[in-house]
Amino acid sequence: MADKIDHLLTDYFTGQLEANIKLRKLELSYHNDHDDNIGGGRMQNIGGIAWQIR
C-alpha cells in the first residue's frame, strides 16, 4: 500500500500524473469507434427456433 502511495505522490510532484490525465482526456475526446453492440443485451431465440448453421 505504501508503495502505491509513494508512486502516486512521485507522479504528482513530478507532473507525470497531470500529463497522464491530459493524455487520457485527449484519447477519450478523439475516440471515434462506434460500437455495433449498443445495449449489450443477450441474443434471444426468435420465434422459438434455435439458430443453426448448415
Side-chain angles (χ1 to χ4, degrees):
M1 180 72 176
D3 290 336
K4 289 182 181 181
I5 293 172
D6 184 47
H7 184 69
L8 180 68
L9 290 174
T10 301
D11 285 351
Y12 175 78
F13 286 115
T14 60
Q16 186 63 39
L17 185 62
E18 185 177 0
N20 288 343
I21 292 172
K22 285 182 181 179
L23 177 63
R24 183 62 180 149
K25 285 181 179 180
L26 281 172
E27 287 174 352
L28 292 174
S29 68
Y30 291 116
H31 185 69
N32 289 343
D33 253 69
H34 296 288
D35 189 9
D36 292 336
N37 189 19
I38 297 172
R42 65 181 174 86
M43 186 172 172
Q44 299 176 358
N45 287 340
I46 299 174
I49 301 172
W51 293 87
Q52 295 180 357
I53 300 175
R54 293 184 183 209

